Amino acid sequence: MLDDTSTDAAIARLIEKAEGDDWTPATDIDWNLQIKYPFWFRKRTYRSLVSQFHHGEKAVMQMCDHLAPLLDDDEARRFVALQRRDEAKHADVYGAYAERLGGIQPMEPALDAVLRESRDWPGSAAGIILAFHMVFEGGAVGLIEKLVRRFPCPLFAALNARILIDEARHVAFGRHYLGRQLPLMPAGERIALYRWVQGLWYRAGAETRARYTWPVAMVTRLGSDWLEAGWQRQSGILIGIGLISEAERESLGAARR
Ligand SMILES: [Fe+2]
Ligand SMILES: [Fe+2]
């Protein structure tokens, strides 16, 4: 468990990094790199998959606007303002890439629904940060790392290499913020939050799996159990930050069976 001083110092360091690490999509990415489609997707499917990242980034920007006034410390608010700046760039970058593939496609309704529900979480800021910074951004980082390894497109790899540096910082913020808040939270509330984000994960993932990762899994060994394996990884991280204990996860698993 982190004490307040070390959390404050960690968030201050992340702000410093974010300030020093501003970049410009037009010049820091080599847009002359070639576009290569994965042969196992229809071009339309690939365009649509990339478009989901664009819409997701825009949803995270809206979350930042919504979250900032709920935070009671200046440092956390400062971080979220810098994060919003990052997400705006990410949305532009994925948008520009999708345009090169032929145009931005609509957002998947299931993704839209879970991101809205997470943003409008009526509880504390911790719930929103848990859903966005830990579950969605953490999950997106894991997925993007896999996709970059499997997809043949040099431009896709280059733009994600830059984006992932920012995303790692956002996930780290969530870990530090929650590391301070979770020990103050009653067990019932922690467990309710865990169940809520678990539901979000599976709902967001079910459609993604059916439409995108299943064909990917066939060819690339991403693993057709990606959703379940991903949740195992995520819930391990949530245990690490103190949302639930190993024993609580076991007993929740047993209750579901
Ligand atoms: Fe982002
Ligand atoms: Fe992010």
Side-chain angles (χ1 to χ4, degrees), residues 29-239:
I29 289 172
D30 180 2
W31 291 98
N32 292 319
L33 285 168
Q34 200 194 350
I35 289 185
K36 267 196 185 163
Y37 287 87
F39 69 85
W40 57 90
F41 270 165
R42 280 181 303 195
K43 286 188 174 175
R44 181 154 50 92
T45 309
Y46 186 60
R47 195 153 65 218
S48 174
L49 172 63
V50 168
S51 299
Q52 303 316 306
F53 288 108
H54 165 74
H55 294 299
E57 297 289 354
K58 289 211 306 204
V60 183
M61 279 171 71
Q62 289 164 8
M63 177 279 290
C64 292
D65 291 334
H66 183 83
L67 175 65
L70 301 176
L71 294 166
D72 48 20
D73 77 280
D74 291 346
E75 296 281 88
R77 263 202 307 275
R78 173 74 188 137
F79 183 87
V80 169
L82 288 163
Q83 177 181 357
R84 190 192 190 283
R85 173 203 71 182
D86 297 338
E87 309 300 10
K89 284 185 278 190
H90 303 170
D92 283 353
V93 167
Y94 286 126
Y97 184 68
E99 291 293 354
R100 282 169 187 232
L101 301 175
I104 298 169
Q105 302 303 297
M107 189 176 197
E108 295 292 349
L111 181 64
D112 191 21
V114 291
L115 290 176
R116 273 172 199 278
E117 180 183 325
S118 308
R119 186 196 60 200
D120 297 338
W121 170 249
S124 61
I128 298 174
I129 292 176
L130 181 68
F132 275 92
H133 293 76
M134 301 309 299
V135 175
F136 294 128
E137 299 194 272
V141 167
L143 179 62
I144 289 169
E145 283 172 346
K146 283 199 173 79
L147 294 180
V148 164
R149 280 200 298 272
R150 310 297 190 210
F151 285 164
C153 181
L155 181 54
F156 185 76
L159 58 91
N160 280 299
R162 198 61 202 72
I163 287 174
L164 284 175
I165 297 172
D166 294 342
E167 295 303 349
R169 217 168 40 236
H170 305 161
V171 176
F173 167 78
R175 210 169 44 231
H176 289 298
Y177 184 90
L178 293 169
R180 178 171 64 192
Q181 298 296 322
L182 292 175
L184 311 172
M185 209 180 260
E189 195 179 338
R190 287 189 292 98
I191 289 171
L193 272 177
Y194 177 81
R195 292 194 134 132
W196 176 59
V197 292
Q198 184 180 29
L200 291 173
W201 175 267
Y202 280 100
R203 272 186 288 146
E207 190 165 331
T208 312
R209 179 173 57 179
R211 204 175 291 226
Y212 303 110
T213 56
W214 214 74
V216 177
M218 304 271 287
V219 184
T220 62
R221 307 186 307 275
L222 184 64
S224 54
D225 63 343
W226 164 77
L227 194 55
E228 184 57 36
W231 180 251
Q232 283 310 312
R233 176 178 170 270
Q234 282 294 314
S235 60
I237 294 168
L238 299 180
I239 289 172

